[in-house]
């Protein structure tokens, strides 16, 4: 049985949380590393559960930690926990496999984007509900971007105005996400990329600075400070 959060919700959120967190440096799996005394995954799930559209949450955990993750999250929200895979794509596929067919909208959300406000979840879900097959939250690119040759010589400056930095949750009509995963032969880092390969349009909505991905130690330091700021959805 898939644990249900909110019977009125029409969205399942699949949360890949099985990564090692190598770029964060030595320590346990990233989703279980602490931010302000609580595992990243607790912060992530608390915010997902606060989004009214969310009916169920499926976590892909490190295989050795499936039971521990279930115990950890049970007091936060009803969740289903499955074993993740060696690649992010496999972790998403494992979690997607237990989402019931009657759920029409599926969001895929990195556990590592642990401060993503519920309002971003709602914005992505609303755009899918309004008819988009695939929706990604994005931010403008702030740095100047150069294309550089192997010998470190600059080849040119990329037009930044047409570029966007992509976050999660990425939202999909469930059938589109299933088809994209079934067709994905090569490893892709984001789920919308697999949908693009099917020739299906992907729609952008505004992301949030708070949806940053905890990747390097500096991101944990930044997130610790962000937690002291007022709730953006309050
Ligand atoms: N992820 C996953 N299964 C994997 C690899 C990654 O579920 N085999 C998840 C991570 O737990 C994370 C999200 O995918 O929530 C984004 O991946 P990333 O930020 O790269 O996390 P890690 O792979 O853990 O970090 P690193 O690449 O530094 O090892
Ligand atoms: Mg990774």
């Amino acid at each position: 049985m898939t644990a249900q959060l909110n019977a009125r919700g029409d969205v399942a959120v699949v949360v890949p949380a099985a990564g090692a967190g190598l770029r964060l440096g030595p320590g346990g799996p990233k989703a279980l590393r602490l931010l302000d005394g609580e595992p990243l995954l607790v912060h992530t799930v608390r915010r997902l559960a606060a989004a009214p559209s969310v009916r169920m949450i499926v976590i892909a955990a490190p295989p050795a930690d499936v039971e521990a993750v279930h115990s950890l999250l049970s007091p936060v929200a009803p969740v289903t926990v499955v074993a993740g895979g060696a690649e992010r794509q496999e972790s998403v596929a494992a979690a997607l496999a237990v989402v019931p067919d009657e759920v029409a909208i599926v969001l895929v959300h990195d556990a590592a984007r642990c401060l993503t406000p519920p309002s971003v979840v709602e914005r992505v879900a609303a755009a899918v509900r309004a008819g988009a097959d695939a929706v990604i939250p994005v931010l403008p690119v702030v740095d100047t971007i150069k294309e550089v040759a192997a010998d470190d010589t600059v080849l040119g400056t990329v037009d930044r105005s047409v570029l966007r930095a992509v976050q999660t949750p990425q939202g999909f009509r469930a059938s589109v996400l299933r088809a994209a995963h079934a067709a994905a032969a090569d490893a892709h880092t984001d789920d919308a990329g697999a949908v693009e390969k099917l020739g299906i349009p992907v729609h952008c909505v505004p992301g949030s600075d708070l949806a940053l991905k905890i990747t390097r130690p500096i991101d944990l330091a930044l997130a610790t400070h962000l937690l002291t700021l007022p709730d953006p959805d309050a």
Side-chain angles (χ1 to χ4, degrees), residues 139-186:
L139 290 179
V141 173
V142 292
D143 290 315
T144 298
I145 307 284
K146 304 274 188 197
E147 187 181 359
V148 178
D151 68 354
D152 286 338
T153 307
V154 170
L155 296 170
T157 304
V158 179
D159 176 9
R160 199 173 59 190
S161 69
V162 297
L163 299 180
R164 301 289 182 273
V166 179
Q167 303 180 319
T168 74
Q170 300 189 350
F172 306 91
R173 198 150 58 82
S175 57
V176 168
L177 181 61
R178 288 186 212 279
H181 267 263
D186 52 342

Side-chain angles (χ1 to χ4, degrees), residues 19 21 23 30 213:
R23 288 170 288 179
K30 182 158 72 179
K213 183 157 71 70

